[in-house]
Amino acid sequence: MRSGAAGIRVETGAVRSRTGCRLDYSLYRPASARSGDLVLLGHGFMRDRERMTGLAESLAETGLTVAALDFCNARPWDGGHVQNGFDMMALADALGARRRVYAGFSAGALAALVAGRNDPRALGVVALDLVDADGVGRLMARGMDRPLIGLFGEPSACNARGNGLAVYAAAPDASVQRIAGANHCDFESPTDWVCRLVCGSPSADGARRDAVLRATTEAIRSLTAGAAG
């Protein structure tokens, strides 16, 4: 255990996926957290939970308990998106969360949608530059009975030319917000040279990244506040 920003306790641990592999996670626990509430964060394709650190800390600073996990079922040839979603649910169960908000970036947003669609304790889903694969997102969205909030950037090869927009169109209760000028790397925090090489550099002053963090935090807070009591 270590102390993070503003006195946030950061704990690490691991649980087992139903497939038997190890799900490592980091848990960000503020002193003022509401008992039983948990935000779960999923990283992008072939990334890791360290790329969600900035968002996890931003959320924890507002009083939310946050868990970011490493997906253990994804492979370069198979994203394992459905299993990743169920692994997010398994972690929420293991941590004893009563109310859950699922969120994620890119392929992690797709996993979050799978979790939010299938978990009766989910308050909703917040998807960051979601990338759909094999129609999984559209299928999950059509049966979604909770809010789906999407943030998205400019269409590019890295977000499959914005194919996530069709997911929101299929959901009964969806809202979308465009972050003007944002590229795929602006939606993970911190990003790294790999993303910059493939998808382009974030804004030099961090303005778009900060806009993403603010909008994501507000979206997640709206789900927990809307279900208060």
Side-chain angles (χ1 to χ4, degrees):
M1 184 175 69
R2 64 182 175 84
S3 295
I8 298 164
R9 290 186 300 159
V10 184
E11 306 166 14
T12 58
V15 299
R16 288 289 173 188
S17 166
R18 289 188 299 182
T19 63
C21 60
R22 175 185 169 114
L23 293 167
D24 292 301
Y25 68 87
S26 296
L27 183 67
Y28 299 76
R29 195 191 301 272
S32 59
R34 175 172 172 160
S35 177
D37 285 2
L38 182 65
V39 179
L40 296 106
L41 300 180
H43 60 76
F45 181 64
M46 302 311 295
R47 307 295 274 165
D48 58 46
R49 70 185 189 275
E50 296 304 316
R51 299 297 146 209
M52 308 304 292
T53 299
L55 177 56
E57 290 180 344
S58 176
L59 292 167
E61 286 171 0
T62 72
L64 293 168
T65 301
V66 184
L69 76 160
D70 286 336
F71 294 129
C72 63
N73 281 289
R75 301 291 183 269
W77 58 89
D78 179 7
H81 308 295
V82 173
Q83 184 59 54
N84 292 341
F86 281 95
D87 285 344
M88 295 181 82
M89 292 169 57
L91 178 57
D93 290 341
L95 294 174
R98 294 193 299 272
R99 307 193 318 163
R100 300 102 183 257
V101 173
Y102 292 100
F105 159 65
S106 192
L110 182 55
L113 178 55
V114 171
R117 162 64 178 80
N118 290 283
D119 188 345
R121 297 187 179 187
L123 301 178
V125 174
V126 176
L128 309 181
D129 221 26
L130 184 151
V131 176
D132 198 6
D134 301 320
V136 170
R138 292 190 298 278
L139 177 64
M140 294 293 125
R142 283 197 292 269
M144 185 84 172
D145 60 0
R146 277 146 285 192
L148 170 60
I149 301 173
L151 307 179
F152 68 98
E154 303 297 339
S156 70
C158 287
N159 65 10
R161 298 296 171 189
N163 77 346
L165 290 174
V167 173
Y168 308 121
D173 183 6
S175 59
V176 294
Q177 177 180 346
R178 177 171 171 263
I179 307 298
N183 68 26
H184 207 50
C185 302
D186 288 310
F187 290 87
E188 61 176 11
S189 177
T191 193
D192 65 1
W193 68 270
V194 176
C195 190
R196 291 192 293 269
L197 178 66
V198 176
C199 302
S201 296
S203 55
D205 62 358
R208 295 193 303 259
R209 180 208 60 201
D210 291 344
V212 168
L213 288 176
R214 285 194 303 272
T216 306
T217 300
E218 290 170 4
I220 292 173
R221 294 290 302 181
S222 74
L223 293 176
T224 58

